[in-house]
Amino acid sequence: MILRFDRLAAELPPPSDPDPAGAAVVQELLGGRFGEMSTFWNYTIQSFNFRGRQGARPFYDLVANIAAEEFGHVELVATAINTMLTGASPTANGNGRAKLNPTKSPLAGVKGIGNPQHFIAGGQGALPQDSNARPWSGDYVFSSGDLVEDLTHNFFLETGARNNKLKVYEMVDHPAARALTGYLLVRGGVHQIAYARALENLTGADLMKMFPTPRIPTDKIPECKPHIQRGDHLRLYRFSPEDYQELAAVFNGPHPETGEDLVVIDEAPEGVPPRDLPPQPAVFAPDFAPEAISEIAAKLRERAGLPKQPTGLVADLEAETKRATKRATSKAKSTSR
């Protein structure tokens, strides 16, 4: 079971200029062979299939716990894609940047740019696809039942994942993509070290000498530096209130690049509130506009005895409240005229 918190693993910047073409590239980090869906499902299936887990508890705890973090990485990549797509067509708050008249053809401005399925099938949001719009496949999952083979596979899966993240970083300069890849390069490095340490403790093979593979100078990448300064290149978080206690039996020793001590943090990271991205009316079905859904939700909230205002926490709640007040004031002035 996964205990889910309504927080993002790392902070991403608010929507700026839309970048549908860049969003299509970032899809590789979601649904590609080395994307976050692959890391999540590889480690999750391996943990489901893990036999003799009590006898090999430190190794089971490692695989199962890293799987939990990867679930959050899937959400973070999807959020970056959604941020990059915001504003590509007219939005409900008047921030649309569509090139053509929104009353005639609101999606014509994105034709031929990026992945058309983002707008046709995805509600202007992320999809379980790679950068070529091919669906993610369960064929990407490797679960042999042999612990050494699975851990070796996981080490090289993280290797390929970090390589892809660096390529996306160098290909897409949108602020959300850069913030995303800066964070994932650091955390992917931690997982790579974790599997290397597990193999060394299990077999004596020193994969740490192969690290870093690929050789990525994260200390020189601006978007990586805040996470390194915070110590996130050394930390393996334990994503459970009570379980996976034996992580420290495997994840220990010096960091292969810096020589600093690796540490297990006995709690999940605090995370940051997600942003309430504006609705995209151009991709809604007729008769169920975002405003209509909000009205229905307000009535349901009142009927259930809940507070008038939504209870969830979002990063831009204060800014959104100011925008709503401004729109209401403007509408009132327009009506009075």
Side-chain angles (χ1 to χ4, degrees):
M1 296 182 288
I2 293 177
L3 180 64
R4 183 171 181 178
F5 299 93
D6 193 14
R7 299 289 187 275
L8 293 177
E11 186 173 6
L12 297 178
S16 53
D17 289 334
D19 186 2
V25 173
V26 177
Q27 277 284 165
E28 190 67 27
L29 303 185
L30 185 65
R33 176 175 289 275
F34 296 97
E36 300 302 321
M37 288 183 66
S38 291
T39 53
F40 168 65
W41 277 114
N42 267 271
Y43 311 154
T44 298
I45 294 297
Q46 288 173 13
S47 69
F48 289 168
N49 295 346
F50 205 109
R51 296 177 182 271
R53 64 181 64 177
Q54 280 300 89
R57 174 59 67 171
F59 302 102
Y60 168 76
D61 282 7
L62 185 77
V63 174
N65 186 77
I66 292 179
E69 180 172 358
E70 298 293 359
F71 180 82
H73 291 182
V74 173
E75 181 179 22
L76 192 66
V77 177
T79 302
I81 293 168
N82 295 340
T83 300
M84 298 168 72
L85 291 172
T86 298
S89 71
T91 59
N93 63 2
N95 286 339
R97 298 179 178 86
K99 296 177 181 177
L100 301 181
N101 186 340
T103 61
K104 292 180 63 178
S105 48
L107 289 177
V110 296
K111 184 173 64 178
I113 302 175
N115 180 2
Q117 288 199 323
H118 278 153
F119 304 92
I120 297 172
Q124 201 159 321
L127 293 165
Q129 300 177 348
D130 65 13
S131 55
N132 287 317
R134 291 185 298 242
W136 181 84
S137 172
D139 287 342
Y140 297 159
V141 173
F142 183 89
S143 179
S144 70
D146 181 273
L147 182 57
V148 174
E149 193 173 359
D150 284 351
L151 291 173
T152 304
H153 168 270
N154 295 352
F155 175 82
F156 286 104
L157 178 60
E158 292 290 347
T159 298
R162 293 186 81 225
N163 204 8
N164 280 11
K165 287 158 190 166
L166 179 63
K167 290 173 182 175
V168 171
Y169 179 90
E170 294 174 336
M171 190 179 295
V172 184
D173 59 4
H174 191 278
R178 287 292 176 88
L180 170 75
T181 48
Y183 174 77
L184 292 180
L185 280 168
V186 173
R187 294 306 299 162
V190 171
H191 296 169
Q192 198 178 19
I193 293 171
Y195 289 125
R197 293 291 293 143
L199 283 162
E200 182 181 356
N201 282 304
L202 184 63
T203 69
D206 191 359
L207 267 70
M208 297 288 275
K209 290 182 178 177
M210 298 178 63
F211 189 92
T213 307
R215 298 189 178 276
I216 300 174
T218 51
D219 59 324
K220 294 182 173 61
I221 298 176
E223 290 80 4
C224 292
K225 287 182 178 180
H227 309 294
I228 294 173
Q229 291 168 357
R230 192 166 50 246
D232 269 352
H233 62 304
L234 305 171
R235 299 171 177 168
L236 190 64
Y237 292 93
R238 192 169 59 82
F239 285 81
S240 173
E242 303 293 339
D243 297 311
Y244 312 121
Q245 297 278 354
E246 298 191 15
L247 294 174
V250 175
F251 191 76
N252 53 48
H255 188 286
E257 290 178 308
T258 68
E260 300 168 280
D261 288 336
L262 302 174
V263 293
V264 173
I265 304 297
D266 281 329
E267 58 185 10
E270 183 178 351
V272 296
R275 297 185 183 277
D276 190 11
L277 299 179
Q280 307 288 163
V283 295
F284 267 75
D287 299 328
F288 277 94
E291 295 80 3
I293 295 175
S294 295
E295 290 176 9
I296 294 170
K299 291 176 182 177
L300 293 174
R301 193 180 296 114
E302 181 180 4
R303 190 185 305 168
L306 294 170
K308 187 174 182 180
Q309 295 297 324
T311 57
L313 179 65
V314 291
D316 47 1
L317 182 59
E318 183 178 355
E320 178 58 32
T321 301
K322 289 180 180 178
R323 285 197 296 267
T325 302
K326 185 177 180 180
R327 289 197 298 270
T329 304
S330 177
K331 186 176 180 181
K333 288 181 180 179
S334 178
T335 303
S336 64
R337 293 195 189 111

